[in-house]
Amino acid sequence: MYTYRRAAMEDIPLLVRCRIDLLHSAIGEGDPARWEYVKEQLADYYRQALPQEAHIAYLAYDGGRCVGTGGVCFYRVLPTYVKPTGQKAYIINMYTDPAYRRRGIATEVLDKLVKAALEKGARYISLEATTMGRPLYEKYGFGILKSEMQYINETYEG
């Protein structure tokens, strides 16, 4: 019923639009000038990350209409005994058009992203979960981290 494909360079405008849609749904409208800056930064990120496979994204379609997306970022940290390669993957930008939710689209996109991460050697895959997304991720096998923390500096404009 739905088709899924890995995003390519020509999909950058669509990826930017999907990301902006997700951000708007999460935080509202905000300052239009700041959104333009965010769009520029997103396009720059995708132009660099997609060819290097530092980011892989999948798009879900209903006919010719994009109805869902998700991405996975790859990075390396200092190796540890538990994570000897230091390869990590971070699932991000999971979004399904509200009219298409609860139809298995996000599950299929998530599955493709996890498989891509495993194929690239990442054994540590993490994500941030909204209240709405948490049941999907828990059902898939993600658990809540007990030892990881995050520093938040809301005054930094970087």
Side-chain angles (χ1 to χ4, degrees), residues 14-157:
L14 177 58
L15 291 169
V16 168
R17 191 199 78 206
C18 289
R19 178 70 174 159
I20 294 297
D21 287 350
L22 175 120
L23 293 172
H24 276 237
S25 73
I27 63 173
E29 293 301 315
D31 175 25
R34 186 161 178 103
W35 283 118
E36 286 307 311
Y37 179 70
V38 172
K39 287 177 187 177
E40 292 169 14
Q41 293 301 306
L42 285 166
D44 183 58
Y45 169 83
Y46 286 124
R47 280 192 298 272
Q48 291 181 39
L50 288 177
Q52 299 172 7
E53 292 192 345
H55 183 92
I56 293 173
Y58 277 90
L59 302 164
Y61 286 88
D62 181 8
R65 179 179 178 196
C66 181
V67 297
T69 187
V72 58
C73 304
F74 298 95
Y75 59 103
R76 188 171 184 207
V77 297
L78 192 64
T80 67
Y81 181 80
V82 177
K83 299 174 205 91
T85 67
Q87 296 293 339
K88 288 183 147 190
Y90 186 76
I91 306 279
I92 193 165
N93 206 42
M94 292 290 295
Y95 182 74
T96 304
D97 181 301
Y100 286 83
R101 292 183 179 156
R102 310 214 52 88
R103 298 184 189 184
I105 294 169
T107 301
E108 184 67 25
V109 170
L110 179 63
D111 189 57
K112 291 181 179 311
L113 296 172
V114 168
K115 286 178 180 172
L118 294 173
E119 287 171 8
K120 285 188 58 80
R123 295 296 177 260
Y124 182 89
I125 305 169
S126 62
L127 53 78
E128 287 182 45
T130 62
T131 302
M132 183 177 21
R134 189 175 301 273
L136 163 69
Y137 305 128
E138 288 174 344
K139 183 177 178 182
Y140 196 90
F142 284 86
I144 296 172
L145 298 175
K146 293 181 174 92
S147 62
E148 199 163 298
M149 298 175 74
Q150 179 176 322
Y151 173 74
I152 301 171
N153 182 345
E154 297 192 17
T155 61
Y156 179 69
E157 289 290 324

